[in-house]
Amino acid sequence: MRVLIQLRPSPDLVAAVADPSVSSMASDVADNLPGVVLDHSYAPVAVPRPMPASLGGDPLSLNQPLVFSMAPQDASVVVRGEIADDEVTSRIALLPAAHRDVVAVYADPAIESSLTCGGDPAVGDWHDVERLLRVPDLTAEGLDGSGVPLAVVDTGINAAYVKAARGHDVTVDHERSWSPQSVSGTPGDFPVDHGTMCAFDALIAAPKASLVDVPVLLSRRQGGSTLDGLLSDAIAAYAHLREVIDAQPAESRALVVTNSWGSFSPRWDFPPGHPGNYSDNPAHPFNLIVGSLAEAGADILFAAGNCGAQCRDSRCAYPDRPIVGANSHPRALSIGGIDTSGTRVGYSSQGPGRLAARKPDVCAYTHFAGSGALGDDEPDSGTSAACPVAAGLVAAVRSRWPATVLAPAQLRTLLRRTADDRSAVGYDHDYGYGVVDAAGIIAALRRRAAKAA
């Protein structure tokens, strides 16, 4: 079984791991772990420690204000390894006693792109999505993604393909892009696939955003498919993205991160209630680092997944509450899907979520003729398409409203409050708070600007 091992070595070692200018190896912090085959190709990653913002608060309640400390005396370090399946229980119990720096052992589940059940033809095309998102109105307000880094965490982007499909130039930020160590290639020049579709869809509302290519799903695990990776690679990617946003000046701080993937099966996870669990566990290192990146100023969006009751993806193995782990994180937006006629698509996962009950947050457009990246006759579909469509809208807002002026939590609230409610009861677990409404967002931002004047 693949596992993540969390350690708290000396502050000097933690500081070295957290310093991007210092090269650290797994053996520097985790040598001689009995029963663990350490993955020496995976560089250790520093993980922040959550602390309540007010006295007496719960440091693991992701729904309350938290401070994420990266101070060397507070932060921890994770490494990756394997434990024999028949020794998992015994080895995990013995590790903290065998190595004084070991804090906990967590699952490192497989993560997969949010593909969808096919067969139904596209409903409208990407120009319909452009119209529904009021892109001309956004552009008139100066909300076009200019100067905003938009990270596509997926299978990699083929910028030349996106440019040809859109008929407009595409900017890839090579310096801020990142790849797992096992992945070779140039940012913006990966094979046309799922990530290229996501990039195309994100640029519908934010055509001038700078794409940050993060091909986490190209990392290969033994026996894995061509569209999956390991959560440990996402942890390393998010640690890099934290460096990206920390390096930005306050007056223009912005980073939008779109994630059209998730964990669909408990097979690679510990069961809920186990301290090493991912799906329901706010203490899992990835759930912590997602919260830390959001608190630093990033807008993080996850696809809700394609495990809706009417048309479940064949990989959906959770018997209920399929929006799991970071896809249900309270500091991220979980995006469901509707078609361009306004109808919820049957594969869009329904809540409640596992880390936060009110998931999905909102719905965005999907199942339209768009990039053609998955085949000439294949629509851009699944919540895989809905998520970057919503991320593009967020990136458009960030053109003039940096995180230091409109905090990520405030922007999440703005999207929920302006959403077009599709139920008679307010929030519901099919549509969330409703469908993203660009006109409502523009009006709300105008009111906010007038108050600040």
Side-chain angles (χ1 to χ4, degrees):
M1 180 178 184
R2 284 272 192 179
V3 294
L4 287 161
I5 301 153
Q6 183 182 25
L7 304 102
R8 190 162 282 122
S10 69
D12 287 348
L13 267 177
V14 175
V17 171
D19 186 345
S21 68
V22 176
S23 178
S24 300
M25 300 175 61
S27 57
D28 294 335
V29 296
D31 211 8
N32 298 320
L33 293 175
V36 178
V37 179
L38 209 58
D39 185 347
H40 292 282
S41 69
Y42 183 81
V45 179
V47 175
R49 181 179 181 178
M51 295 187 286
S54 57
L55 201 62
D58 181 359
L60 293 181
S61 177
L62 297 176
N63 292 295
Q64 70 174 25
L66 295 174
V67 175
F68 292 86
S69 175
M70 282 294 288
Q73 65 272 22
D74 295 326
S76 58
V77 173
V78 295
V79 296
R80 183 167 75 184
E82 288 187 3
I83 299 176
D85 289 343
D86 58 353
E87 294 183 357
V88 168
T89 301
S90 60
R91 288 295 182 187
I92 288 175
L94 291 172
L95 269 175
H99 197 295
R100 62 187 178 88
D101 292 340
V102 172
V103 176
V105 180
Y106 295 97
D108 184 15
I111 53 175
E112 303 175 82
S113 58
S114 298
L115 297 173
T116 184
C117 46
D120 291 341
V123 180
D125 62 23
W126 70 276
H127 294 293
D128 293 311
V129 176
E130 197 174 43
R131 172 180 54 81
L132 290 162
L133 293 177
R134 307 290 187 98
V135 171
D137 295 342
L138 290 169
T139 302
E141 297 286 323
L143 307 177
D144 58 8
S146 294
V148 178
L150 201 169
V152 180
V153 182
D154 211 272
T155 64
I157 299 167
N158 189 294
Y161 181 93
V162 176
K163 177 182 178 180
R166 286 186 50 80
H168 297 287
D169 287 340
V170 174
T171 300
V172 175
D173 189 330
H174 288 70
E175 185 178 347
R176 289 169 168 164
S177 296
W178 179 92
S179 297
Q181 202 162 26
S182 62
V183 174
S184 60
T186 302
D189 195 28
F190 289 101
V192 176
D193 211 321
H194 191 266
T196 299
M197 178 195 77
C198 293
F200 179 97
D201 295 342
L203 293 176
I204 294 174
K208 293 189 178 179
S210 298
L211 298 175
V212 178
D213 198 357
V214 186
V216 160
L217 296 183
L218 288 185
S219 178
R220 295 287 181 264
R221 62 181 176 88
Q222 188 174 1
S225 74
T226 57
L227 288 180
D228 69 7
L230 288 164
L231 195 61
S232 48
D233 290 313
I235 291 174
Y238 269 61
H240 166 77
L241 292 174
R242 178 62 192 263
E243 294 170 12
V244 167
I245 199 163
D246 284 348
Q248 293 178 333
E251 62 272 13
S252 60
R253 181 164 298 168
L255 173 65
V256 181
V257 188
T258 182
N259 305 268
S260 291
W261 52 269
S263 178
F264 296 101
S265 172
R267 177 186 173 194
W268 302 100
D269 200 356
F270 292 111
H274 188 288
N277 168 262
Y278 164 64
S279 65
D280 296 61
N281 185 5
H284 190 282
F286 186 61
N287 293 329
L288 292 180
I289 209 163
V290 167
S292 169
L293 186 61
E295 288 303 302
D299 301 295
I300 303 170
L301 298 89
F302 276 90
N306 300 325
C307 300
Q310 293 83 3
C311 182
R312 289 171 64 88
D313 188 298
S314 61
R315 298 168 300 168
C316 298
Y318 286 97
D320 60 3
R321 302 179 71 183
I323 308 177
V324 309
N327 300 65
S328 64
H329 202 291
R331 284 174 167 78
L333 287 168
S334 177
I335 309 298
I338 61 163
D339 63 29
T340 58
S341 73
T343 303
R344 178 184 158 271
V345 290
Y347 49 70
S348 183
S349 291
Q350 294 140 306
R354 295 196 173 218
L355 294 185
R358 289 202 165 195
K359 299 292 173 176
D361 291 275
V362 292
C363 287
Y365 301 102
T366 185
H367 218 88
F368 54 86
S371 67
L374 302 181
D376 291 341
D377 298 321
E378 292 294 323
D380 288 8
S381 64
T383 54
S384 275
C387 184
V389 165
L393 182 56
V394 171
V397 171
R398 287 298 181 206
S399 307
R400 294 186 61 186
W401 294 84
T404 44
V405 176
L406 185 68
Q410 293 173 313
L411 184 49
R412 293 194 297 271
T413 299
L414 178 67
L415 262 68
R416 294 170 186 142
R417 288 182 176 173
T418 58
D420 180 13
D421 187 7
R422 293 303 174 92
S423 77
V425 295
Y427 181 87
D428 67 80
H429 290 304
D430 289 335
Y431 290 92
Y433 288 93
V435 180
V436 291
D437 182 359
I441 291 168
I442 290 170
L445 292 174
R446 284 176 177 169
R447 289 192 297 270
R448 191 179 182 95
K451 284 182 180 180

